[in-house]
Amino acid sequence: MEKEKRMDYISWDEYFMGVAMLSGMRSKDPHSQVGACIVSEDNKILSMGYNGFPMGCSDDKFPWAREGDALDTKYLYVTHSELNAILNYRGGSLEGAKLYVSLFPCNECAKAIIQSGIKTIVYDCDKYENTPSVIASKRMLDAAGVRYYKYNRTGREIRITV
Ligand SMILES: Nc1ccn([C@H]2C[C@H](O)[C@@H](COP(=O)(O)O)O2)c(=O)n1
Ligand SMILES: [Zn+2]
């Protein structure tokens, strides 16, 4: 019988970013699947979310297009993963919480993050870093003292069979 504890267990960051990415796999968005996981200061998962249309707005009826008439694109309808994670939270306050998210938050989510009391953001991808939305987001996060840093990919493959 083994006496020593396992040493190849996943780190907190791998765990929470993994949960965020798994959550993103629920997204129906054909172009960008984004997931978020909110964690307390003592490493308890508080909430999760992914990008999708609001309740009652059918995934099959609302548009997933990226281009065309604004009303016929997804952008006016999709709720971002971070906002869904904040809104899905059924507890009390998110003061001091940490957000793991697979894509850097936009300006609208930054407002919600700041107002909810989240103090740290760990993000994976920043593919829209040169857009006004992300530049504005960083301006607000900096002003509000919300810390953010890029997730350090370890290259570990986490496989689950369901
Ligand atoms: N931080 C973010 C940024 C974007 N999203 C969502 C909104 C859309 O569903 C999708 C981005 O679409 P794209 O322009 O890449 O086709 O990701 C989010 O949830 N969180
Ligand atoms: Zn957003």
Side-chain angles (χ1 to χ4, degrees), residues 80 82 105-110:
H80 290 191
E82 308 90 309
C106 74
N107 62 311
E108 290 301 325
C109 289

Side-chain angles (χ1 to χ4, degrees), residues 38-50:
I38 302 177
V39 178
S40 67
E41 285 170 286
D42 59 344
N43 292 323
K44 305 283 187 297
I45 294 179
L46 300 175
S47 190
M48 285 174 279
Y50 57 88

Side-chain angles (χ1 to χ4, degrees), residues 37-136:
C37 174
I38 302 177
V39 178
S40 67
E41 285 170 286
D42 59 344
N43 292 323
K44 305 283 187 297
I45 294 179
L46 300 175
S47 190
M48 285 174 279
Y50 57 88
N51 53 325
F53 297 134
M55 285 186 289
C57 303
S58 167
D59 294 327
D60 300 312
K61 295 202 176 111
F62 279 75
W64 286 113
R66 305 178 74 228
E67 285 164 6
D69 189 289
L71 283 171
D72 298 326
T73 71
K74 63 186 172 184
Y75 296 108
L76 292 178
Y77 309 106
V78 166
T79 307
H80 290 191
S81 67
E82 308 90 309
L83 186 59
N84 266 329
I86 291 169
L87 296 173
N88 286 342
Y89 182 52
R90 290 291 178 271
S93 163
L94 290 175
E95 197 62 46
K98 202 165 174 177
L99 169 75
Y100 287 78
V101 62
S102 57
L103 181 59
F104 199 94
C106 74
N107 62 311
E108 290 301 325
C109 289
K111 295 173 194 175
I113 290 165
I114 293 165
Q115 294 304 91
S116 71
I118 290 171
K119 287 288 179 288
T120 310
I121 299 167
V122 187
Y123 64 94
D124 182 41
C125 167
D126 197 7
K127 65 180 175 177
Y128 296 126
E129 64 181 327
N130 296 319
T131 63
S133 168
V134 171
I135 293 168

